[in-house]
Amino acid sequence: MRWLTPEEQRAWRGFVRLHERLGGRLARLLQSESKVSAADFAVLVHLTDTPDGRQRYQDLARALEWEKSRMSHHIARMAGRGMVVREECAEDARGAFVVITDAGRAAIEAAAPRHVEAVRELFMDHVTPAELRVLAEISERVIAKLDEDQS
Amino acid sequence: MRWLTPEEQRAWRGFVRLHERLGGRLARLLQSESKVSAADFAVLVHLTDTPDGRQRYQDLARALEWEKSRMSHHIARMAGRGMVVREECAEDARGAFVVITDAGRAAIEAAAPRHVEAVRELFMDHVTPAELRVLAEISERVIAKLDEDQS
DNA sequence: GACAATTGGGTGAGCCGTCAACTACGTCTA
DNA sequence: TAGACGTAGTTGACGGCTCACCCAATTGTC
């Protein structure tokens, strides 16, 4: 049985902790300052990418790589907070649209600068371009492998 | 306002997605095969590090960098599953110990090989030693910065 | 056209983590 | 020794995610 080498442990534990800490900090920052979580943010960004601010649940789920159940729950909560509304789909009676509201647009416009600033401040500012490139490569390669065996 | 450059976006999104995907996969693997989650695993490892398999809640919380509330909830759940027991502390009547049970030892011994194997298979095998070193460095540096401003 | 299989989405239970408040004990200081 | 302050751990509410099902509509296929 091959246990992890010290270097492997160091990298693995570092990676896990980094995400935990960074994620937690970012979440608290955003939550406290703008009432828009990272997940909300991702949804709103994708909605504003379309001209009419409207997308099918499924397309949104695929784009964000979320399960449909998660999407359903999350949109329900966001709808409860008035950021989006659900809308029936005429062409396919099973389907539905998620539509951003004016309040949703206002929320993301208010939150976006803080979001980016926080990512910079907590992460980007402490990493060199070369390191960033390595990180991107690792991520893409490993994700590709993950997709490969057993999607 | 400085938005993220394409390289920065690529790295950031990659990093976030990598953790989400890898974490999810790993969690499902462990959960389905051994009933020991990554969090359980971490707790059990720390308990087996001490000769009598016993640790104060607080020490455990500090070691894992968990909030005391999280520790309390999690230990309660683990106790419900028979992996640990809570034990009063004689010296300090406020405190308490978490003690690993025989079932807990059995569980971690059964789970550990799979855990390591999964980390290897899903991550280590697709990353070079040089990349690993960069990852470890980034992690440590950014975590240090995080600790620095406003602990 | 009937009927199976697939697709789009919803629902409820259960685990998980955070936050804020709370209890109870300990320690320090006047 | 009283009161203030800090520490150890608990609790309950809440948001969030997954899993396992459910239902309705649609798309084959014969």
Side-chain angles (χ1 to χ4, degrees), chain B residues 86-140:
Chain B
R86 187 183 188 289
E87 210 171 82
E88 299 301 326
C89 174
E91 304 92 69
D92 188 335
R94 295 170 296 185
F97 289 103
V98 184
V99 189
I100 190 170
T101 61
D102 289 347
R105 286 190 195 276
I108 193 180
E109 273 160 29
R114 270 312 272 144
H115 187 104
V116 177
E117 197 184 331
V119 171
R120 274 208 183 292
E121 191 180 310
L122 298 178
F123 183 69
M124 290 300 166
D125 286 351
H126 313 114
V127 179
T128 70
E131 288 171 336
L132 225 50
R133 209 154 35 240
V134 172
L135 184 59
E137 274 158 23
I138 294 176
S139 300
E140 282 158 18

Side-chain angles (χ1 to χ4, degrees), chain A residues 12-66:
Chain A
W12 177 250
R13 292 184 50 79
F15 173 66
V16 171
R17 285 185 36 182
L18 175 57
H19 184 89
E20 279 177 5
R21 306 280 290 273
L22 202 47
R25 222 13 202 270
L26 220 41
R28 249 160 303 171
L29 249 175
L30 298 179
Q31 195 66 23
S32 71
E33 295 186 5
S34 62
K35 296 299 173 199
V36 174
S37 73
D40 297 340
F41 191 82
V43 168
L44 293 176
V45 164
H46 267 271
L47 287 178
T48 51
D49 272 356
T50 69
D52 50 353
R54 150 191 339 257
Q55 280 228 255
R56 290 289 294 267
Y57 273 71
Q58 194 203 159
D59 297 339
L60 217 45
R62 259 198 290 272
L64 301 181
E65 302 178 52
W66 286 9

Side-chain angles (χ1 to χ4, degrees), chain A residues 1-5 7-12 14-22 25-26 28 41 63-65 67 112-113 115-117 119-120 122-128 131-143 145-147 149-150, chain B residues 1-5 7-22 25-26 28 41 64-65 67 112-113 115-117 119-120 122-128 131-143 145-147 149-150:
Chain A
M1 145 110 251
R2 276 157 68 224
W3 186 248
L4 299 182
T5 68
E7 295 86 45
E8 286 172 337
Q9 282 197 49
R10 178 177 162 228
W12 177 250
F15 173 66
V16 171
R17 285 185 36 182
L18 175 57
H19 184 89
E20 279 177 5
R21 306 280 290 273
L22 202 47
R25 222 13 202 270
L26 220 41
R28 249 160 303 171
F41 191 82
L64 301 181
E65 302 178 52
E67 296 194 0
H115 187 104
V116 177
E117 197 184 332
V119 171
R120 272 207 186 292
L122 298 178
F123 183 70
M124 288 303 166
D125 285 352
H126 313 115
V127 180
T128 70
E131 288 172 335
L132 224 51
R133 210 155 33 241
V134 172
L135 183 59
E137 274 159 22
I138 294 177
S139 300
E140 281 157 19
R141 191 182 324 130
V142 174
I143 290 172
K145 289 294 178 185
L146 243 45
D147 287 341
D149 53 76
Q150 193 195 62
Chain B
M1 144 108 247
R2 278 155 67 223
W3 186 247
L4 298 182
T5 68
E7 296 86 43
E8 286 172 337
Q9 282 196 49
R10 179 177 162 229
W12 177 251
R13 292 184 50 79
F15 172 65
V16 172
R17 285 185 36 184
L18 176 57
H19 184 88
E20 277 177 6
R21 304 281 289 273
L22 203 47
R25 247 320 235 286
L26 220 41
R28 248 161 304 173
F41 191 82
L64 300 181
E65 301 178 51
E67 296 196 358
H115 187 104
V116 177
E117 197 184 331
V119 171
R120 274 208 183 292
L122 298 178
F123 183 69
M124 290 300 166
D125 286 351
H126 313 114
V127 179
T128 70
E131 288 171 336
L132 225 50
R133 209 154 35 240
V134 172
L135 184 59
E137 274 158 23
I138 294 176
S139 300
E140 282 158 18
R141 191 181 325 132
V142 173
I143 290 173
K145 290 291 179 188
L146 243 43
D147 288 340
D149 52 76
Q150 194 192 61

